[in-house]
Amino acid sequence: MDRLAMNGGTPVRDQKIYYGRQWIDEEDVREVCKVLTGDFITCGPEVTELERKLAVRTGAKYAVAVSNGTAALHCACIAAGIGPGDEVITTPLTFAASANCIRYCGASPVFADIDLETYNIDPQSIEAHITENTKAVVAVDFTGQAVRIKEIREICDRHNLIFIEDAAHSIGTKYEGKEVGSLADMTCFSFHPVKTITCGEGGAVTTNDQRLYERLILAHTHGITHEEEFMEDLPHEGSWYYEQISLGYNYRMTDFQAALLLSQLKKLDFFIERRKNIVKKYDHAFRLLPELRIQKEIPESDTCRHLYLIRLNPDHLTCTRRQFFDAMAAENVQCQIHYVPVYWFPYYQKLGYQKGLCPNAEKIYESIISIPLFPKMTDQDVEDVIHAVRKLCANYSKISE
Ligand SMILES: *Cc1c(COP(=O)(O)O)cnc(C)c1O
């Protein structure tokens, strides 16, 4: 058996590989430079074109580009009319922004538990947490796999709730053949560099509902409108005139970011193929290892995976998750953990959320590790990661003892 790098053996690879990274090529750079030397670097034609293309790609009627994925979630909560006294149900196994957006509006996140096999929010747990104050659901397509949209839609309709989908991980995923982005009341995307396509910082909200669209527009541009039909008090004075009709934010995307994202969007299908291909290789390599569990997919989701999680099986391993993680790093495979349950953070603890709230999410958190997954990985990179995981499983296996 190969000695672990952690114990003085030779690492599986010389160069460190990280769990995710962007792929920006010369064409992307050219598209950005064109805009930088042009007339508009913000509020110009690239953003308009990006919104059009995002709507076409996702099959949604409307898309609003914003400054990042967190702003997208905040705008969606504003458009949903969420405010103090309201409760919004979300998952704890997510990036903090999925819950913070609810706090921005003065409302309370309520954490529903997850499914132990898919790691996505469990519709039954959503239903169990509904009260007369519940206003919306923020469901996260964790790792890129679509949530149980049909079941959640049905629950939201029955209880008159707004369905917000946090699709920061899931651009390119389809649910029952339809693109994520056209299915919930509002769908929020992130274009941070670790996500499937990027423009540095960036985000978008898509919707099919004209009323929500109008509110999203106001939310991301100071609550200001130039359109006479929305103006309330003052008479229209001249073509310069605009009116602030609500309290909004400056959450706009710049034109050079939009140009970068338009260029990245052209490569989305290629990125999806690469990611799917790597996931297939990982699944094949890990499926039969008793030391590991792999994430279960629901048949409705045709997933473009953003993250690949291995789950350690403590019945078959002599090491802790921490030891496995550190041993991978010693092999020069730098993993990550997605995520610490949101309500474990001191901010939420101080608000009164108790540990133990969502046992499934806590159990999964304690045994998962995200291994590298990004389109720019070479076949050798993929082999190295598989080799490192196998090497650790062999060294830490209870069976081989
Ligand atoms: C990345 C991410 C966000 C926030 O997106 P930013 O663009 O970083 O603001 C929100 N939710 C989830 C699940 C994410 O992974």
Side-chain angles (χ1 to χ4, degrees):
M1 197 186 306
D2 283 354
R3 186 139 57 107
L4 295 179
M6 193 179 219
N7 301 330
T10 311
V12 159
R13 47 186 284 131
D14 296 332
Q15 268 217 329
K16 231 183 195 19
I17 185 170
Y18 294 89
Y19 86 92
R21 71 162 299 179
Q22 72 278 13
W23 190 348
I24 306 281
D25 66 13
E26 287 301 318
E27 187 192 18
D28 294 324
V29 172
R30 272 199 306 277
E31 292 300 317
V32 173
C33 289
K34 264 197 252 167
V35 173
L36 284 174
T37 51
D39 289 336
F40 299 96
I41 57 173
T42 195
C43 299
E46 299 293 324
V47 169
T48 311
E49 179 61 6
L50 172 66
E51 289 174 340
R52 197 185 66 77
K53 286 258 167 72
L54 279 173
V56 169
R57 172 72 206 209
T58 58
K61 273 204 189 126
Y62 309 99
V64 180
V66 294
S67 48
N68 56 66
T70 306
L73 286 162
H74 189 191
C75 287
C77 287
I78 295 168
I82 292 163
D86 291 335
E87 293 171 4
V88 178
I89 298 171
T90 190
T91 172
L93 200 69
T94 184
F95 184 59
S98 313
N100 289 347
C101 61
I102 300 161
R103 294 293 305 143
Y104 295 158
C105 293
S108 303
V110 172
F111 296 98
D113 211 347
I114 60 166
D115 181 285
L116 280 170
E117 302 295 329
T118 66
Y119 317 150
N120 265 333
I121 196 165
D122 177 355
Q124 282 187 358
S125 185
I126 293 177
E127 183 122 46
H129 284 87
I130 292 172
T131 72
E132 58 187 16
N133 296 322
T134 309
K135 183 102 182 189
V137 173
V138 176
V140 180
D141 298 327
F142 180 64
T143 73
Q145 173 171 208
V147 289
R148 292 189 179 276
I149 292 177
K150 200 171 60 192
E151 288 85 344
I152 296 173
R153 175 80 274 166
E154 193 270 319
I155 291 168
C156 287
D157 287 347
R158 195 146 36 81
H159 295 273
N160 201 19
L161 311 176
I162 295 191
F163 179 7
I164 299 170
E165 189 175 355
D166 180 343
H169 296 183
S170 61
I171 193 158
T173 290
K174 293 188 181 120
Y175 177 88
E176 289 187 332
K178 294 201 182 106
E179 295 276 344
V180 160
S182 62
L183 299 158
D185 292 314
M186 288 176 277
T187 306
C188 301
F189 296 99
S190 164
F191 307 118
H192 182 277
V194 297
K195 310 293 162 71
T196 298
I197 52 172
T198 187
C199 59
E201 297 281 357
V205 189
T206 57
T207 184
N208 291 322
D209 183 319
Q210 191 186 344
R211 211 183 88 261
L212 292 173
Y213 172 65
E214 286 161 5
R215 291 182 184 177
L216 289 167
I217 293 285
L218 287 171
H220 92 305
T221 50
H222 312 276
I224 284 173
T225 183
H226 292 265
E227 304 200 20
E228 223 171 320
E229 60 172 307
F230 298 126
M231 292 185 187
E232 286 172 13
D233 290 334
L234 297 168
H236 183 60
E237 302 208 347
S239 58
W240 72 85
Y241 186 71
Y242 60 81
E243 204 168 71
Q244 185 192 342
I245 58 173
S246 62
L247 186 62
Y249 296 78
N250 179 358
Y251 279 162
R252 291 186 303 259
M253 182 186 277
T254 66
D255 252 37
F256 52 95
Q257 288 174 301
L260 177 52
L261 202 69
L262 276 165
S263 184
Q264 288 263 299
L265 205 51
K266 288 188 207 156
K267 302 176 236 270
L268 177 57
D269 287 322
F270 168 70
F271 289 164
I272 293 170
E273 272 319 296
R274 271 302 289 165
R275 283 179 177 273
K276 282 187 171 171
N277 185 260
I278 298 167
V279 167
K280 213 185 216 170
K281 286 184 182 172
Y282 282 162
D283 280 348
H284 181 74
F286 305 143
R287 175 170 282 133
L288 298 176
L289 291 178
E291 293 83 10
L292 302 180
R293 294 268 177 276
I294 59 173
Q295 188 180 354
K296 192 179 157 200
E297 289 261 334
I298 56 170
E300 293 87 344
S301 180
D302 175 5
T303 306
C304 170
R305 203 75 81 75
H306 160 57
L307 298 172
Y308 193 96
L309 271 59
I310 52 172
R311 179 171 155 206
L312 307 185
N313 182 355
D315 296 340
H316 287 271
L317 284 164
T318 59
C319 64
T320 62
R321 193 262 303 265
R322 172 99 184 250
Q323 282 167 329
F324 199 100
F325 183 92
D326 292 344
M328 285 292 280
E331 302 294 340
N332 283 326
V333 180
Q334 187 60 56
C335 300
Q336 185 52 274
I337 306 296
H338 298 93
Y339 295 92
V340 177
V342 171
Y343 60 80
W344 280 19
F345 291 129
Y347 171 75
Y348 283 97
Q349 291 285 299
K350 278 178 228 155
L351 287 174
Y353 293 85
Q354 306 278 322
K355 287 194 181 179
L357 207 55
C358 299
N360 290 356
E362 295 184 15
K363 183 172 169 190
I364 293 299
Y365 160 68
E366 281 163 2
S367 58
I368 48 174
I369 296 182
S370 305
I371 62 174
L373 175 62
F374 52 93
K376 213 178 179 181
M377 288 176 85
T378 62
D379 289 345
Q380 186 60 52
D381 290 335
V382 176
E383 287 310 311
D384 288 347
V385 174
I386 291 173
H387 181 181
V389 171
R390 284 212 177 112
K391 184 177 170 185
L392 264 64
C393 285
N395 269 272
Y396 290 129
S397 179
K398 274 185 186 164
I399 292 164
S400 67
E401 268 186 335

